[in-house]
Amino acid sequence: MRLVIARCSVDYLGRLTAHLALAPRLLLVKADGSVLVHSDGGSYKPLNWMSAPCQLATEEPTQVEAQEGTTAVWVVTAGTRRTGARAPRAISPAKAPDRLRIRIHDVLHDSHHELGVDPGLVKDGVEAHLQALLAEHLEPLGAGLHLIRREFMTAIGPVDILCRDADGVHLAVEIKRRGEIDGVEQLTRYLELMNRDPHLVTAGPVQGVFAAQEIKPQARTLATDRGIRCVTLDYDALRGLDDETQRLF
């Protein structure tokens, strides 16, 4: 990866045009060829960028640009890529390629860093982890529950957990990290199908439980209106890292 901090202006030419006035910015050139322009704000999102495949070429500034203080010009063209000795991939003549034109005035920092192969992001607390933990510890869903199975298949997809209470009533549990309206709609569709199965309604209709670490107010309102019970999950408590009975407050 190449990191360049420079006073520069940026023009995007393509389906639309955009201009970034002269200012200090961070320019990232990644190993896959993508180029990103960042400011010292806006969180992770770049001000402008060109995704791979693309080609970066350096040009001499025009006479007018040189008079304005430009010392170098980067031209990033979409749709072309240098791969060893091979020629760049051809551009369709029917469509002009998108371009970034970065006019550099002063370079404050320029360095290269070999990052190597990234091992990838390993998430903790994803829905699969919540499902596995909740299947082992059904107490947050209610007392006296018996697990039937995880990933109970219906005609339109699997319900995360199917369990049964002491009276023999089945509960269909949909698990999310963040509970939103889409998740309630998904569980509603499962319940409509499951309540047509005579093997599941022998002791009464299948009940729905919407379980998540965080449930949006709109989702909770919709679930309540449809007779679906909401349960907020404590991930640390499920893992045994936080025992609420030991808290002082």
Side-chain angles (χ1 to χ4, degrees), residues 48-70:
N48 217 324
W49 69 94
M50 190 69 73
S51 300
C54 59
Q55 179 180 339
L56 171 60
T58 302
E59 297 181 353
E60 292 295 326
T62 65
Q63 184 176 359
V64 173
E65 290 172 338
Q67 291 174 350
E68 293 174 345
T70 302

Side-chain angles (χ1 to χ4, degrees), residues 73-201:
V73 177
W74 289 8
V75 178
V76 188
T77 306
T80 57
R81 176 178 54 194
R82 292 189 183 277
T83 54
R86 296 180 182 178
R89 195 176 69 178
I91 297 293
S92 170
K95 179 184 177 183
D98 294 346
R99 289 185 300 149
L100 280 180
R101 200 165 193 276
I102 304 172
R103 291 183 291 177
I104 297 175
H105 285 231
D106 303 299
V107 175
L108 308 177
H109 174 87
D110 190 347
S111 62
H112 291 76
H113 304 272
E114 293 293 335
L115 301 186
V117 178
D118 192 276
L121 177 66
V122 178
K123 294 183 179 179
D124 190 21
V126 296
E127 291 172 16
H129 295 163
L130 290 170
Q131 183 190 121
L133 288 168
L134 197 57
E136 296 176 1
H137 308 283
L138 294 172
E139 295 81 7
L141 303 178
L145 296 179
H146 171 70
L147 177 67
I148 302 300
R149 67 168 297 169
R150 294 170 54 189
E151 300 289 333
F152 180 84
M153 186 57 65
T154 73
I156 57 173
V159 175
D160 290 329
I161 289 179
L162 179 66
C163 54
R164 185 174 57 225
D165 66 15
D167 297 324
V169 176
H170 288 89
L171 282 79
V173 185
E174 183 64 28
I175 302 169
K176 302 290 184 184
R177 290 188 67 244
R178 176 177 294 179
E180 299 183 353
I181 286 178
D182 287 349
V184 178
E185 295 285 5
Q186 181 181 359
L187 179 55
T188 300
R189 293 191 293 269
Y190 290 150
L191 289 171
E192 289 176 355
L193 285 174
M194 297 173 75
N195 276 309
R196 299 175 194 171
D197 187 340
H199 298 94
L200 297 176
V201 296

